[in-house]
Amino acid sequence: MKKENISKADYLAVFLSVLIILPYFICCLFLNYYADDFSMAIEISSISGNSIVRAIKFAYYYYMNWQGCWFSMLIDGFSPLILTGGNTVFLRIVAIVNLILLVFSIYRLVLMLTEIIGERNHKFLCFFSLIFVIFNIGCYKEILYWYTGMAGYSIPFVLYVLIVSEVLRITFLNGNLKYRKVVNLVLIILCTGGVLQVVGMLCYTLLLILIIAFIQKRKTRYVAVCFVLSFVGAIFNAVAPGNYVRHSVIDNTGIHIDQAMVQSLKVIIQELRILTSSISICAMVIIIIVAAKYGHKMQKDFDVKQTIVLSLGIVLLPYVTIFPYQLGYSGSELGDIPNRSMFLLDFSLIISFMILAFVFGAWLSRKTDLRIDTNLILVLSLVLLIMAIDHQMISNAASVRTFHNIRTGYIPEYSRKISEFYDMVDNSDDEEIVFDGFPNEVSYFQSITYDENPDVWTNKALAGYYNKKRIRITYEQ
């Protein structure tokens, strides 16, 4: 077995990656339940049967009456509020595991991509550049710190990335372990039970891999099976009666495909302007181009036609990602799209930048003969990534702001106050709760908000879970 060459730049990249991710792990230690966590717990507790039976019945009910993401609803059906009686330790463990899986899936994808272009030795640098962008351009709190968001978005997304990584390995790197192929097919079935945004990403990505593999005259049987299975799963998800029930509640004038198409393009253009204004995106692209510039495998495998197909195909991924959301909500402005959906859109845009950088770097490798020390260039790229950003942009990076709110005690104190509020509600003998001084929202963390109007659904869900008639709060001044 050939020993991998790990450079000083690789060690630096791993160290910096850990620094970026660490604040998010720490935040997982301060989580509390919120919103749908309580409302779903009430519904689940009213269902007869053991935990497994109740989870299945719950998923079926939602499939028929609210949305087609049956696998996400199945996860929600095992509500930790029911299983643990509201113990937050389990929630925090789930969040940590979720974050580990998210980071691992991204690393796995980078590993496969760098292996395909022949530059596996630079995988840590490419991984760092991707992590730097994803975890700094925004705080995706709804997929990191909220149980319902993890079940609906984060876990299906992790499955999507792992599936794509494995299909790339099997198709382009001749992976042939049968048990892994079977496991991957099972993961596809589960992934198609997630939100339609992730399902759309899965179907489209597998189709793109299938087309490129066919052009390259590779074996396409397995990837074709994967695509067909994902497509059937997507249909099963999309035709769920609950999707149409939910849409009629959001917009009873019907489904507006033309409006969704226009709004999808509009939102992508707006988000592109925001992302491309960040120097971190530019630095990521530089690192990827340099790594691909010295690739050997990709330049041999990809001719002009295949490069065009890949480039055009990957550019459409963000559109495929946001379109299901816009269709379901009859078109939304950028500011109205929830944090969890923006994560999927941003990832699709960032990974598109990454693939295009790989392609451009491979093209440079064919067209130029310039040979210099790649480690030197990659280290300089890292320096550019860190030092060329002015102080204000560094201080506003999501990971830095998150760490600041932890260090100064904002997040721990906020979590403590929320926990004390829940304990007060649980232990009170009063059927009507009036609480003055509820903590204000804290940035870069999952803020838990209730309304001064006790009839708002979040207040009612909390009251129902703790067997109270009404809960009314006022915020700290």
Side-chain angles (χ1 to χ4, degrees):
M1 184 175 179
K2 185 179 179 180
K3 185 178 180 180
E4 290 190 40
N5 180 27
I6 301 179
S7 66
K8 293 181 180 179
D10 290 327
Y11 285 115
L12 176 61
V14 172
F15 175 72
L16 293 174
S17 298
V18 171
L19 285 184
I20 291 170
I21 300 168
L22 184 60
Y24 297 97
F25 276 106
I26 297 174
C27 279
C28 291
L29 302 176
F30 299 105
L31 302 188
N32 284 286
Y33 297 101
Y34 173 59
D36 297 64
D37 299 339
F38 289 110
S39 62
M40 289 183 178
I42 295 171
E43 295 179 56
I44 295 165
S45 62
S46 67
I47 300 174
S48 61
N50 59 39
S51 297
I52 296 176
V53 172
R54 287 194 299 188
I56 294 173
K57 288 182 177 179
F58 178 75
Y60 175 76
Y61 174 82
Y62 264 74
Y63 182 84
M64 298 300 295
N65 295 278
W66 194 242
Q67 56 188 350
C69 50
W70 59 269
F71 177 60
S72 296
M73 292 299 102
L74 190 65
I75 298 174
D76 278 321
F78 293 97
S79 169
L81 276 169
I82 302 296
L83 296 177
T84 68
N87 191 319
T88 57
V89 173
F90 182 78
L91 169 66
R92 294 166 184 181
I93 292 174
V94 169
I96 291 172
V97 172
N98 171 68
L99 182 53
I100 291 173
L101 290 174
L102 178 62
V103 173
F104 171 77
S105 66
I106 294 173
Y107 169 74
R108 183 70 179 166
L109 179 61
V110 172
L111 178 62
M112 290 302 103
L113 291 173
T114 52
E115 181 80 11
I116 288 170
I117 69 167
E119 277 301 304
R120 182 169 178 161
N121 287 340
H122 293 146
K123 61 182 180 293
F124 292 118
L125 291 161
C126 296
F127 171 70
F128 165 72
S129 66
L130 193 57
I131 287 293
F132 185 92
V133 175
I134 292 174
F135 285 92
N136 274 320
I137 61 173
C139 178
Y140 302 106
K141 52 192 177 182
E142 291 182 352
I143 68 152
L144 296 176
Y145 308 138
W146 182 34
Y147 182 80
T148 302
M150 289 182 241
Y153 288 77
S154 185
I155 294 176
F157 173 78
V158 167
L159 294 183
Y160 157 71
V161 178
L162 291 176
I163 290 165
V164 170
S165 301
E166 186 63 16
V167 171
L168 287 172
R169 186 189 70 85
I170 292 170
T171 305
F172 297 103
L173 301 174
N174 301 317
N176 198 32
L177 293 177
K178 290 185 178 180
Y179 81 92
R180 291 178 64 162
K181 290 183 177 181
V182 174
V183 170
N184 206 48
L185 293 176
V186 173
L187 294 183
I188 289 174
I189 294 173
L190 298 179
C191 185
T192 58
V195 292
L196 279 172
Q197 280 182 271
V198 175
V199 179
M201 293 170 72
L202 177 64
C203 288
Y204 181 75
T205 306
L206 292 178
L207 177 60
L208 186 58
I209 294 173
L210 177 60
I211 292 172
I212 294 173
F214 178 78
I215 293 174
Q216 289 189 0
K217 297 181 180 180
R218 292 179 177 271
K219 293 180 180 180
T220 58
R221 182 177 178 181
Y222 182 76
V223 66
V225 170
C226 290
F227 169 70
V228 171
L229 186 60
S230 69
F231 185 75
V232 172
I235 295 298
F236 182 75
N237 189 324
V239 300
N243 287 330
Y244 303 95
V245 174
R246 181 173 185 170
H247 187 271
S248 66
V249 173
I250 297 170
D251 182 1
N252 60 10
T253 63
I255 298 175
H256 306 288
I257 296 178
D258 56 339
Q259 186 175 339
M261 293 175 66
V262 172
Q263 283 298 110
S264 296
L265 183 60
K266 179 181 177 182
V267 163
I268 289 172
I269 293 173
Q270 291 173 340
E271 188 66 5
L272 268 175
R273 290 173 179 170
I274 295 173
L275 292 181
T276 52
S277 66
S278 170
I279 196 170
S280 61
I281 289 282
C282 301
M284 182 197 77
V285 169
I286 291 171
I287 291 175
I288 302 299
I289 288 175
V290 171
K293 163 69 176 70
Y294 296 94
H296 305 292
K297 193 171 183 178
M298 188 175 183
Q299 62 172 317
K300 295 177 181 178
D301 288 346
F302 278 74
D303 59 20
V304 175
K305 181 170 66 173
Q306 295 164 34
T307 301
I308 292 174
V309 170
L310 176 60
S311 301
L312 292 178
I314 202 66
V315 164
L316 291 176
L317 179 62
Y319 193 88
V320 174
T321 301
I322 197 61
F323 179 76
Y325 174 86
Q326 295 289 18
L327 186 63
Y329 284 85
S330 296
S332 295
E333 297 296 329
L334 183 63
D336 297 327
I337 299 176
N339 178 272
R340 54 193 182 273
S341 294
M342 284 305 303
F343 167 76
L344 299 177
L345 175 59
D346 286 346
F347 179 84
S348 66
L349 287 167
I350 293 167
I351 205 67
S352 296
F353 277 119
M354 184 178 186
I355 298 296
L356 291 174
F358 273 139
V359 171
F360 182 67
W363 177 82
L364 282 178
S365 183
R366 290 198 302 269
K367 299 296 182 181
T368 63
D369 295 322
L370 180 63
R371 292 290 166 182
I372 52 179
D373 187 352
T374 59
N375 285 326
L376 174 62
I377 293 297
L378 291 165
V379 169
L380 289 176
S381 298
L382 283 173
V383 173
L384 170 68
L385 188 60
I386 301 165
M387 301 301 295
I389 306 174
D390 60 50
H391 174 72
Q392 183 178 6
M393 190 173 292
I394 289 178
S395 64
N396 287 330
S399 61
V400 176
R401 296 303 304 167
T402 300
F403 179 75
H404 172 77
N405 285 347
I406 295 170
R407 184 180 61 81
T408 54
Y410 288 130
I411 288 176
E413 180 67 9
Y414 180 81
S415 176
R416 182 188 64 79
K417 289 181 178 179
I418 295 296
S419 296
E420 290 178 351
F421 168 70
Y422 284 156
D423 289 340
M424 183 276 295
V425 174
D426 187 23
N427 296 324
S428 176
D429 294 327
D430 298 331
E431 291 188 343
E432 295 194 13
I433 302 294
V434 178
F435 185 83
D436 297 321
F438 193 83
N440 293 301
E441 296 183 46
V442 60
S443 59
Y444 298 95
F445 190 62
Q446 178 60 41
S447 294
I448 293 175
T449 57
Y450 292 100
D451 202 274
E452 297 186 3
N453 178 1
D455 294 323
V456 171
W457 77 270
T458 50
N459 293 53
K460 293 173 71 173
L462 181 64
Y465 177 79
Y466 285 111
N467 296 314
K468 308 298 181 184
K469 285 186 178 180
R470 292 159 65 90
I471 294 179
R472 182 176 64 83
I473 62 100
T474 57
Y475 282 89
E476 294 176 334
Q477 298 299 319

